[in-house]
């Protein structure tokens, strides 16, 4: 089922550039441009509007691309199903995860996965949670190790839930209010009135992240805007600032370290998010994809030693 020309046109749409699409496809810019011109001549319409720095689909182009995506989806799903029922353990899994916690998880579960499916390769995208949803909807990835909060779940996606965790406020152990945490705050997570820290400067996670949305809700509930020392896309950077006794910061519960010089709190409203693996609703998941999801779940729940008992049959 050779749909190469269609794949090339879709790449132009995704990259919004012939040069970037050609680079992605390992073609010359001239060759890809000639393919597009030939197709437009054949159809008798222009598929893309050539703007200064981008290629934007015309009305006719959107119609063509809509059908093109359907054809590529049919090919992808058909091949996956045939490979799966024939027990052919080859192929590629495209997965997205966060640069820090996600990459650490992958480094732990990949050796186990590779023993079971040595001929299955991975196409990795490191991205923040908000970007991951776009990658799934654009079919750039099949699986995303992501999170959702409350009932805010995209109806076009399925979510395999792995573990719920709290949003935590970390306070330097030398802070004057650290005593309010009591003993073993890394287990109890007592609640602190965020208004007590109104005059503090905070280190905050970037607005690119879903966690930041939760942080903003906390400050809105407390009735003040925080003084911001700086913002970072790196959770580890934020935590290390707390460890070095510089400022308070918010981060996920999974980053809590009992041995760190930090005391831990929750704030009102008490917020959680669900760590999960997301994929497009109605997608066919192969045995290797299901195995990857099971391993990710065991790792997230701290049960990776049970990996040898994971079965490859049945539903997730």
């Amino acid at each position: 089922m050779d749909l190469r020309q269609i794949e090339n046109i879709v790449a132009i749409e995704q990259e919004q550039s012939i040069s970037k699409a050609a680079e992605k496809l390992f073609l010359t810019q001239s060759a890809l441009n000639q393919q597009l011109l030939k197709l437009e001549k054949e159809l008798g319409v222009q598929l893309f509007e050539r703007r200064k720095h981008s290629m934007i689909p015309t009305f006719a182009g959107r119609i063509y691309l809509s059908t093109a995506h359907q054809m590529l989806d049919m090919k992808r799903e058909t091949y996956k199903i045939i490979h799966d029922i024939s027990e052919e353990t080859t192929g590629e899994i495209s997965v997205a995860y966060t640069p820090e916690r996600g990459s650490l998880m992958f480094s732990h579960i990949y050796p186990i996965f590779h023993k079971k499916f040595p001929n299955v390769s991975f196409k990795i995208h490191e991205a923040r949670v908000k970007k991951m949803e776009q990658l799934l909807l654009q079919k750039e990835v099949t699986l995303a190790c992501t999170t959702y909060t409350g009932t805010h779940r995209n109806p076009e996606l399925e979510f395999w839930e792995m573990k719920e965790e709290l949003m935590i406020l970390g306070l330097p152990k030398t802070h004057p209010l650290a005593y309010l945490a009591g003993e073993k705050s890394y287990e109890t997570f007592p609640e602190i009135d965020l208004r007590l820290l109104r005059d503090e400067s905070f280190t905050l996670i970037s607005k690119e992240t879903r966690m930041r949305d939760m942080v903003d809700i906390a400050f809105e509930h407390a009735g003040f805007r925080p003084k911001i020392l700086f913002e970072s896309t790196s959770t580890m950077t934020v935590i290390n600032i707390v460890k070095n006794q510089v400022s308070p910061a918010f981060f996920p519960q999974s980053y809590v370290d009992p041995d760190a010089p930090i005391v831990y709190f929750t704030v009102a409203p008490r917020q959680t998010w669900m760590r999960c693996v997301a994929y497009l609703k109605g997608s066919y998941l192969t045995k290797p994809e299901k195995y990857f999801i099971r391993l990710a779940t065991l790792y997230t729940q701290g049960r990776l030693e049970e990996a040898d008992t994971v079965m490859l049959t049945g539903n997730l």
Side-chain angles (χ1 to χ4, degrees), residues 239-305:
I239 291 174
N240 284 331
I241 290 297
V242 188
K243 285 183 179 180
N244 288 317
Q245 311 300 294
V246 177
S247 76
F250 288 93
F251 44 83
Q253 181 181 349
S254 54
Y255 285 90
V256 167
D257 178 1
D259 298 322
I262 299 175
V263 293
Y264 303 98
F265 296 93
T266 54
V267 300
R270 190 178 175 92
Q271 298 182 74
T272 63
W273 64 4
M274 179 63 70
R275 294 175 65 179
C276 59
V277 177
Y279 47 92
L280 279 176
K281 188 165 286 187
S283 295
Y284 180 87
L285 296 179
T286 63
K287 291 182 179 70
E289 287 170 337
K290 290 180 179 178
Y291 187 61
F292 175 83
I293 293 174
R294 290 189 178 106
L295 291 179
T297 302
L298 290 176
Y299 174 84
T300 301
Q301 296 174 352
R303 299 162 47 215
L304 196 55
E305 70 278 0

Side-chain angles (χ1 to χ4, degrees), residues 4-265:
R4 201 166 307 161
Q5 183 187 56
I6 290 175
E7 291 170 342
N8 293 350
I9 301 304
V10 168
I12 296 174
E13 175 203 19
Q14 291 172 338
E15 300 298 324
Q16 296 185 350
S17 162
I18 288 183
S19 61
K20 291 180 181 178
E23 183 179 351
K24 178 180 180 180
L25 297 165
F26 302 103
L27 296 173
T28 66
Q29 183 175 340
S30 174
L32 184 56
N33 188 52
Q34 287 302 314
Q35 281 190 28
L36 175 59
L37 291 174
K38 182 180 178 181
L39 177 60
E40 290 180 326
K41 183 177 180 181
E42 177 186 323
L43 296 173
V45 293
Q46 190 173 339
L47 297 179
F48 291 90
E49 180 183 341
R50 279 80 165 168
R51 295 186 183 173
K52 188 175 182 181
H53 296 295
S54 60
M55 301 282 287
I56 307 300
T58 61
F59 178 70
R62 292 196 298 272
I63 294 173
Y64 178 91
L65 288 163
S66 175
T67 302
H69 281 291
Q70 292 177 39
M71 294 174 70
L72 294 177
D73 289 346
M74 289 172 64
K75 174 187 175 180
R76 187 162 39 244
E77 289 295 291
T78 299
Y79 277 41
K80 283 177 66 175
I81 294 169
I82 290 174
H83 286 161
D84 215 33
I85 63 178
S86 67
E87 299 296 331
E88 184 180 333
T89 55
T90 60
E92 179 183 82
I93 297 177
S94 54
V95 60
Y97 52 66
T98 56
E100 295 171 345
R101 182 168 57 182
S103 59
L104 182 63
M105 176 200 71
F106 185 79
S107 67
H108 278 84
I109 69 176
Y110 178 74
I112 301 170
F113 179 94
H114 185 66
K115 286 181 182 178
K116 187 78 71 174
F117 295 104
N119 297 317
V120 174
S121 61
F122 281 85
K123 182 179 180 182
I124 303 298
H125 290 259
E126 292 192 346
R128 297 297 169 186
V129 169
K130 293 180 180 180
K131 177 64 176 177
M132 285 191 215
E133 187 169 300
Q134 296 176 24
L135 292 171
L136 284 169
L137 296 175
Q138 293 168 357
K139 301 183 177 68
E140 290 283 313
V141 300
T142 304
L143 306 175
C145 301
T146 184
T147 62
Y148 71 80
T149 56
T151 58
H152 299 154
R153 293 188 288 180
N154 191 307
E156 296 182 54
L157 302 177
E158 296 279 1
F159 297 87
W160 175 256
E161 298 179 349
M162 298 191 295
K163 185 178 182 180
E164 186 176 37
E165 64 178 2
L166 285 164
M167 180 178 77
I168 299 299
L169 172 65
L171 210 60
K173 205 164 188 177
T174 57
H175 193 280
L177 296 179
Y179 74 94
L180 294 175
E183 298 293 325
K184 296 185 177 180
S185 63
Y186 54 84
E187 292 179 350
T188 59
F189 307 119
E191 184 175 305
I192 189 173
D193 187 342
L194 191 54
R195 291 174 296 181
L196 295 174
L197 302 171
R198 183 186 295 271
D199 296 326
E200 296 286 333
S201 293
F202 288 80
T203 303
L204 297 183
I205 198 71
S206 164
K207 290 182 179 293
E208 296 176 26
T209 66
R210 186 160 288 168
M211 172 65 71
R212 179 56 180 272
D213 295 340
M214 299 166 68
V215 171
D216 289 344
I217 288 172
F219 284 115
E220 183 179 352
H221 182 83
F224 70 95
R225 289 185 178 182
K227 299 173 185 175
I228 301 175
L229 198 60
F230 68 88
E231 298 174 317
S232 174
T233 58
S234 167
T235 304
M236 286 309 304
T237 297
V238 169
I239 291 174
N240 284 331
I241 290 297
V242 188
K243 285 183 179 180
N244 288 317
Q245 311 300 294
V246 177
S247 76
F250 288 93
F251 44 83
Q253 181 181 349
S254 54
Y255 285 90
V256 167
D257 178 1
D259 298 322
I262 299 175
V263 293
Y264 303 98
F265 296 93

